[in-house]
């Protein structure tokens, strides 16, 4: 009997073991494959600095720059990280979903989306992509073209930035802001009476430099609210960080052509790899723009006679992280040319980061809030710190709450003015605190 | 013939007597076993009742623990939601403050 049973059972056991091994092996493959899909997003090495604004453009390439990460430190905010690395708040927020803008956790690696697909527009003069809130200035001669790029703040939904071709009509350093009637009316409704003109200085929202465009009433200018770069916060103008407008102003001659486009989905190639960059579309522009990109992708698929990974494409589009993602090798083996993610050292000081001043017993202060939650308090203090012009603020812990204190102010008048701004801009009811010691 | 019948009857008598004796012993034995089994059954019933009571109590405890866990999860979700809403509200206020 044994002789009869054993040979028939043995292969069955072998078959079972073989099947089990096969399944385990498959699982192993899946486990290895999953990280491989995003392996290009694993930091490759550490660098002290990374290029932020100026990039060479290789012939035939549409993708510039490199993606990087930086480890957050205590007290960092995303607007501080954005400004230091020449990015807009929109870009840093989109690339780091789930990270608290104002009170992020220290030690977290934050993506710096310093790689961009150039907009589909003529590569000359200035091109602004409203969807990505980024300005591109084409420079250099035909043999070694260079693109300089800066983040911008653009118009709101109610007062959008106009699109189309225009040019720089004139330039002005230390411009005077002639308050448009619409803005004066908005402020009047809040009980804030604006003057007819605001001279150069910290109160001037145009900042230190302005390029007046041929489209009447629209400018590319600086700002006294640097934290607004990467937001839809203007009345149709485009605003840049103070340090960026200074360079752009000196590099841009009058009559420079300016093209403003709205391209939330960008396709481009570098070193034989096709990339897709997706941003959250501005109002009403998403479906039409997506259709255009899908048609282009279908053409590429047809020409190459190889299938595209449509699931990946849909994922990139749905996530809208604003980073160029490799989606297709135009020629086999070209994935070698995909640049690796770089980890950048956290600088000793982030450029433009507001530092809370020391407490001064002889100064005036404003109690802006008294809240039970520390994160809320930190968030409020950071928002106050990032106003334009800045209002210094800090959190003072108490036994059962956290106080947000704005100041120090030299005079009662300064403290009252800060209270007025807190109410007007942030709807906070501040209480003026007299000095502990008279000077 | 009579003799034969008598002989057969005499032969059957002791056998029948012996058989009835065996049946009585068996009956006593069986009754004793029944008692034992009965006692075992009573014990098993009590054990089963005790186990059921314990299981019911455990289920009640588990249900209570699950309800507490659900409540804690919901509370955590609510806290997270509130925190998210606070962050969104703060962002919205900030974005408005960034206008000219």
């Amino acid at each position: 009997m044994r002789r009869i049973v054993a040979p028939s059972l043995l292969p069955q056991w072998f078959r079972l073991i073989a099947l089990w091994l096969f399944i385990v092996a498959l699982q192993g493959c899946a486990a290895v494959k999953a990280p491989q899909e995003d392996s290009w997003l694993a930091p490759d090495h550490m660098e002290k600095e990374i290029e932020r604004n100026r990039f060479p453009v290789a012939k035939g390439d549409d993708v510039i720059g490199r993606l990087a990460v930086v480890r957050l430190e205590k007290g960092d905010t995303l607007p501080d990280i954005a400004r230091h690395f020449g990015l807009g708040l929109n870009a840093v927020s989109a690339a780091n979903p789930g990270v608290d803008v104002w009170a992020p956790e220290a030690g977290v690696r934050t993506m710096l989306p310093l790689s961009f697909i150039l907009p589909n527009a003529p590569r000359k003069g200035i091109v602004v992509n409203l969807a990505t809130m980024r300005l591109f200035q084409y420079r250099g001669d035909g043999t070694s073209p260079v693109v300089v790029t800066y983040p911008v703040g653009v118009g709101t939904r109610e007062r959008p930035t106009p699109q189309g071709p225009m040019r720089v009509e004139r330039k002005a350093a230390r411009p005077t802001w002639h308050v448009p009637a619409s803005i004066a009316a908005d402020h009047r409704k809040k009980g804030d009476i604006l003057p007819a003109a605001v001279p150069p200085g910290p109160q001037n929202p145009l900042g230190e430099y302005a390029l007046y465009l041929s489209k009447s009433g629209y400018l590319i200018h600086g700002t006294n609210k640097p934290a607004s770069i990467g937001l839809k916060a203007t009345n149709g103008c485009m605003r840049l960080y103070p340090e960026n407008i200074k360079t752009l102003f000196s590099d841009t001659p009058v009559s420079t052509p300016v093209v403003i486009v709205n391209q939330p989905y960008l396709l481009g190639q570098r070193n034989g790899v096709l990339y897709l960059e997706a941003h959250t579309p501005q109002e009403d522009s998403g479906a039409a723009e997506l259709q255009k990109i899908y048609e282009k992708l279908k053409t590429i698929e047809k020409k190459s006679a190889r299938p595209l990974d449509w699931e990946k494409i849909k994922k990139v589009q749905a996530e809208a992280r604003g980073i160029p993602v490799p989606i297709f090798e135009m020629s086999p083996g070209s994935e070698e040319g995909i640049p690796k993610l770089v980890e950048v050292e956290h600088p000793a000081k982030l450029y433009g980061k507001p530092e809370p001043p020391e407490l001064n017993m002889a100064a005036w202060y404003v109690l802006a809030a008294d809240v039970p939650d520390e994160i809320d308090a930190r968030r409020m203090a950071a928002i106050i710190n990032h106003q334009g012009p800045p209002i210094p603020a800090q959190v003072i812990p108490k036994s059962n709450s956290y106080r947000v204190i704005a100041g120090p102010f030299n005079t009662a008048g300064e403290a009252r003015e800060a209270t007025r701004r807190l109410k007007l801009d942030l709807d906070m009811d501040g209480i003026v605190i007299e000095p502990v010691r008279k000077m | 013939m009579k003799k034969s019948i008598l002989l057969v009857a005499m032969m059957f008598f002791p056998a029948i007597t012996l058989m009835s004796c065996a049946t009585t012993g068996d009956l006593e034995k069986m009754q004793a076993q029944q008692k034992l089994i009965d006692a075992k059954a009573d014990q098993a019933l009590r054990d089963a009742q005790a186990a059921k009571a314990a299981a019911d109590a455990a289920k009640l405890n588990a249900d209570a623990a699950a309800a507490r866990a659900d409540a804690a999860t919901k509370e955590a979700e609510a806290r997270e939601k509130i925190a998210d809403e606070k962050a969104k509200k703060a962002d919205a206020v900030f974005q408005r403050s960034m206008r000219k």
Side-chain angles (χ1 to χ4, degrees):
Chain A
M1 280 294 271
R2 274 184 192 166
R3 277 183 193 167
I4 297 165
V5 171
S8 67
L9 275 179
L10 214 60
Q12 275 186 9
W13 278 108
F14 270 125
R15 268 182 227 144
L16 277 172
I17 290 165
L19 183 68
W20 180 77
L21 279 172
F22 179 64
I23 290 165
V24 167
L26 274 182
Q27 281 182 342
C29 287
V32 171
K33 199 181 171 188
Q36 270 180 351
E37 276 181 2
D38 283 341
S39 62
W40 64 287
L41 283 178
D44 187 45
H45 62 286
M46 179 83 94
E47 286 185 23
K48 206 170 172 64
E49 287 281 344
I50 188 158
E51 57 280 12
R52 306 163 203 185
N53 303 111
R54 194 184 175 90
F55 303 94
V57 187
K59 201 176 176 187
D61 279 1
D62 315 296
V63 187
I64 55 168
R66 292 182 296 166
L67 294 175
V69 288
V70 68
R71 216 176 271 276
L72 294 181
E73 288 186 358
K74 195 179 172 205
D76 285 350
T77 66
L78 292 196
D80 299 329
I81 291 287
R83 184 170 181 184
H84 183 89
F85 289 101
L87 292 161
L89 181 53
N90 63 320
V92 177
S93 297
N96 297 281
V99 177
D100 194 314
V101 172
W102 297 105
E105 213 179 306
V108 166
R109 267 194 188 138
T110 307
M111 167 78 78
L112 302 172
L114 284 164
S115 180
F116 316 97
I117 297 183
L118 299 172
N120 185 16
R123 292 185 186 175
K124 60 176 183 176
I126 290 172
V127 176
V128 179
N129 188 354
L130 297 178
T132 65
M133 295 196 216
R134 206 136 186 119
L135 179 150
F136 299 86
Q137 184 188 30
Y138 294 97
R139 309 194 62 213
D141 51 35
T143 53
S144 54
V146 164
V147 63
V148 184
T149 176
Y150 307 111
V152 293
V154 300
T156 59
R157 185 181 183 157
E158 299 79 30
R159 295 188 181 126
T161 303
Q163 295 178 47
M166 48 199 91
R167 62 187 169 76
V168 175
E169 199 167 70
R170 66 186 176 92
K171 296 164 56 170
R174 295 184 58 75
T176 294
W177 181 45
H178 298 279
V179 182
S182 56
I183 298 176
D186 284 354
H187 279 255
R188 217 173 15 251
K189 275 183 213 161
K190 295 193 286 183
D192 184 27
I193 308 299
L194 290 179
V198 178
Q203 301 295 332
N204 189 325
L206 301 185
E208 292 291 298
Y209 303 94
L211 303 173
Y212 291 80
L213 300 176
S214 53
K215 177 97 178 167
S216 180
Y218 294 97
L219 291 75
I220 298 174
H221 59 75
T223 184
N224 64 345
K225 296 177 191 285
S228 70
I229 304 307
L231 296 180
K232 284 182 262 181
T234 77
N235 292 282
C237 290
M238 288 149 283
R239 51 170 88 146
L240 277 76
Y241 286 125
E243 56 275 23
N244 291 162
I245 188 67
K246 190 179 178 186
T247 317
L248 182 72
F249 184 84
S250 62
D251 289 348
T252 307
V254 169
S255 294
T256 297
V258 176
V259 175
I260 302 174
V261 298
N262 180 21
Q263 297 173 358
Y265 307 107
L266 297 148
L267 263 185
Q269 61 170 308
R270 173 161 65 182
N271 300 332
V273 177
L274 185 68
Y275 290 79
L276 173 63
E277 182 183 318
H279 297 256
T280 304
Q282 308 250 343
E283 296 76 22
D284 313 326
S285 64
E289 288 296 318
L290 191 60
Q291 184 64 28
K292 279 187 209 167
I293 287 295
Y294 271 42
E295 276 164 20
K296 278 186 190 174
L297 287 169
K298 279 176 192 162
T299 310
I300 290 167
E301 190 175 44
K302 204 173 169 183
K303 271 188 188 168
S304 69
R306 282 184 296 136
L308 292 180
D309 186 347
W310 288 97
E311 275 203 15
K312 187 173 187 179
I313 289 164
K314 280 176 187 158
K315 188 173 169 239
V316 173
Q317 176 227 326
E319 286 180 348
R321 289 182 69 188
I323 56 174
V325 178
I327 55 164
F328 188 62
E329 289 170 41
M330 306 293 273
S331 49
S334 46
E335 70 170 348
E336 299 290 318
I338 299 172
K340 292 280 185 188
L341 192 75
V342 179
E343 179 155 3
V344 186
E345 273 182 33
H346 191 288
K349 189 183 183 311
L350 293 170
Y351 183 83
K353 181 181 174 181
E355 295 293 339
E358 283 182 11
L359 288 173
N360 177 355
M361 296 298 109
W364 291 76
Y365 282 91
V366 173
L367 173 62
D370 192 343
V371 291
D373 187 76
E374 188 188 356
I375 299 284
D376 285 347
R378 277 171 51 199
R379 192 180 285 135
M380 281 182 196
I383 287 176
I384 296 171
N385 267 323
H386 287 81
Q387 291 299 296
I391 303 172
Q394 58 195 297
V395 176
I396 298 179
K398 286 198 71 204
S399 57
N400 56 353
S401 70
Y402 295 86
R403 283 184 168 167
V404 181
I405 305 280
F409 303 107
N410 291 325
T411 64
E414 279 181 22
R416 276 195 291 274
E417 172 57 15
T419 311
R420 190 184 74 89
R421 285 182 56 205
L422 288 176
K423 182 66 186 168
L424 269 177
D425 293 337
L426 300 170
D427 202 22
M428 285 181 181
D429 294 306
I431 298 164
V432 173
I433 308 167
E434 287 190 358
V436 176
R437 274 200 316 263
K438 299 282 179 194
M439 278 206 274
Chain B
M1 181 67 177
K2 275 181 185 173
K3 270 184 187 174
S4 298
I5 291 168
L6 187 67
L7 184 67
V8 169
M10 280 175 72
M11 278 171 73
F12 269 96
F13 181 76
I16 288 165
T17 311
L18 277 173
M19 270 174 70
S20 70
C21 282
T23 306
T24 308
D26 283 350
L27 188 67
E28 279 169 2
K29 194 179 170 187
M30 194 181 76
Q31 279 171 345
Q33 279 173 344
Q34 272 177 351
K35 270 185 188 168
L36 278 172
I37 288 168
D38 216 27
K40 279 272 179 198
D42 282 351
Q43 183 61 45
L45 191 64
R46 279 196 299 274
D47 287 353
Q49 279 168 348
K52 190 177 179 301
D56 285 352
K59 190 176 179 305
L60 276 176
N61 281 344
D63 286 351
R68 278 200 303 277
D70 271 358
T73 308
K74 275 181 190 155
E75 210 174 294
E77 280 170 2
R79 272 202 304 273
E80 205 174 304
K81 201 178 165 192
I82 289 168
D84 275 357
E85 277 167 9
K86 272 185 189 172
K88 275 183 191 158
K89 201 175 160 193
D91 274 350
V93 170
F94 167 73
Q95 293 202 17
R96 270 202 308 279
S97 76
M98 288 292 108
R99 294 183 183 185
K100 268 179 190 157

